[in-house]
Amino acid sequence: MNPILRDMFGHQFWADTELWKAIGGTAAAQDDKAIRDRLHHIHMVQRVFIWGVSGGPGGQFNVTKPDDFPSFDGLRTYARGSHADIQRWLDWATDADFSRSLPVPWFKDPPLTLTVTEALTQCAMHSHHHRGQNATRLRELGGVPPSTDLIVWYWKGRPQPAW
């Protein structure tokens, strides 16, 4: 696997976890609709991408809604499952899997086809974008967002996520 992509996912797992812990430590953030909706969106999109690069097993993707997870802990369990699904795929994928073409069905005119590497890069960058939004909202609610920059992850020795 491309070493930068490997690092992007290692960082994503750690950074997601660090932000989840900070949100979990701030009662107002745990119950904030904007944060909860974005947390759900982050992890559902992670699942969509890994489902797509896996060949769409089972036919139709199982779309969930934030309301399907009434508790913060239930949503966190969903998030952990997203990470586990991604890691499972990364563990068995071959170099050939990363160069496969993948049509992106929501782009129609013109259509878009990416390599699996490009699609997974989008997956990691998408999560990064929304983590920043949630960190800003956490601060607005009186919480302290953790420093989750990629360079911090490198500096700390590429730590594993600790839920």
Side-chain angles (χ1 to χ4, degrees):
M1 176 184 0
N2 176 302
I4 294 296
L5 185 61
R6 181 193 60 236
D7 282 358
M8 288 178 77
F9 277 103
H11 171 259
Q12 174 181 284
F13 297 154
W14 170 80
D16 281 355
T17 303
E18 293 301 299
L19 189 56
W20 269 95
K21 289 190 292 192
I23 292 167
T26 307
Q30 284 186 37
D31 298 328
D32 185 73
K33 180 169 175 31
I35 285 179
R36 298 244 342 213
D37 287 354
R38 263 191 303 271
L39 286 172
H40 172 264
H41 175 75
I42 288 167
H43 297 292
M44 188 178 75
V45 168
Q46 289 172 356
R47 287 172 183 246
V48 166
F49 273 92
I50 208 64
W51 175 84
V53 302
S54 299
Q60 190 69 20
F61 178 75
N62 181 30
V63 176
T64 60
K65 299 185 249 16
D67 292 342
D68 294 337
F69 306 94
S71 73
F72 183 77
D73 286 336
L75 186 56
R76 181 174 22 213
T77 298
Y78 180 74
R80 290 181 78 165
S82 300
H83 287 185
D85 289 349
I86 293 167
Q87 189 60 61
R88 244 187 321 277
W89 190 87
L90 293 174
D91 287 345
W92 68 258
T94 66
D95 287 342
D97 290 313
F98 289 98
S99 59
R100 270 189 304 108
S101 292
L102 180 71
V104 182
W106 52 91
F107 288 103
K108 303 219 183 282
D109 189 22
L112 176 64
T113 300
L114 301 174
T115 65
V116 168
T117 295
E118 292 165 337
L120 291 176
T121 299
Q122 169 58 28
C123 178
M125 295 305 298
H126 176 267
S127 298
H128 181 77
H129 169 74
H130 289 305
R131 269 194 314 274
Q133 291 175 316
N134 275 346
T136 298
R137 182 68 181 141
L138 175 60
R139 187 178 309 280
E140 291 169 353
L141 294 169
V144 178
S147 180
T148 58
D149 282 351
L150 177 63
I151 200 166
V152 171
W153 181 71
Y154 287 139
W155 175 62
K156 289 186 173 194
R158 295 174 167 91
Q160 294 296 307
W163 287 94

